[in-house]
């Protein structure tokens, strides 16, 4: 059910992901530790944004692509 609700919030979600990633340097994003840290930050950003609006929470983040430039 939360997935359906979040579908309508794509712009906000995209913004939260972008904000979390933009706080990192290229060096911080290289390697599995950097990606895991980014995942935790993304979850925290999104969960903070949806906490007062809906019940439920993001419990994991999956990258289908990961490109560092």
């Amino acid at each position: 059910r939360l997935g359906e609700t979040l579908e309508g919030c794509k712009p906000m979600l995209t913004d939260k992901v972008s904000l979390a990633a933009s706080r990192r340097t290229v060096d911080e994003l290289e390697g599995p530790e950097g990606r895991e840290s980014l995942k935790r930050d993304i979850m925290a950003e999104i969960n903070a944004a949806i906490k007062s609006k809906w019940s439920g929470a993001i419990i994991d983040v999956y990258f289908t692509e990961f490109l560092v430039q």
Side-chain angles (χ1 to χ4, degrees), residues 18-35:
S18 179
L19 284 173
S22 69
R23 282 185 243 150
R24 301 272 202 270
T25 65
V26 170
D27 290 337
E28 291 172 326
L29 291 173
E30 289 182 351
E33 298 85 17
R35 286 190 293 276

Side-chain angles (χ1 to χ4, degrees), residues 14-61:
T14 301
D15 181 60
K16 297 301 181 188
V17 171
S18 179
L19 284 173
S22 69
R23 282 185 243 150
R24 301 272 202 270
T25 65
V26 170
D27 290 337
E28 291 172 326
L29 291 173
E30 289 182 351
E33 298 85 17
R35 286 190 293 276
E36 289 301 317
S37 176
L38 179 59
K39 286 180 178 188
R40 287 190 299 274
D41 285 354
I42 290 169
M43 282 189 291
E45 287 278 345
I46 293 173
N47 284 331
I50 66 172
K51 183 179 181 179
S52 64
K53 297 176 184 175
W54 304 291
S55 61
I58 303 299
I59 58 171
D60 209 348
V61 172

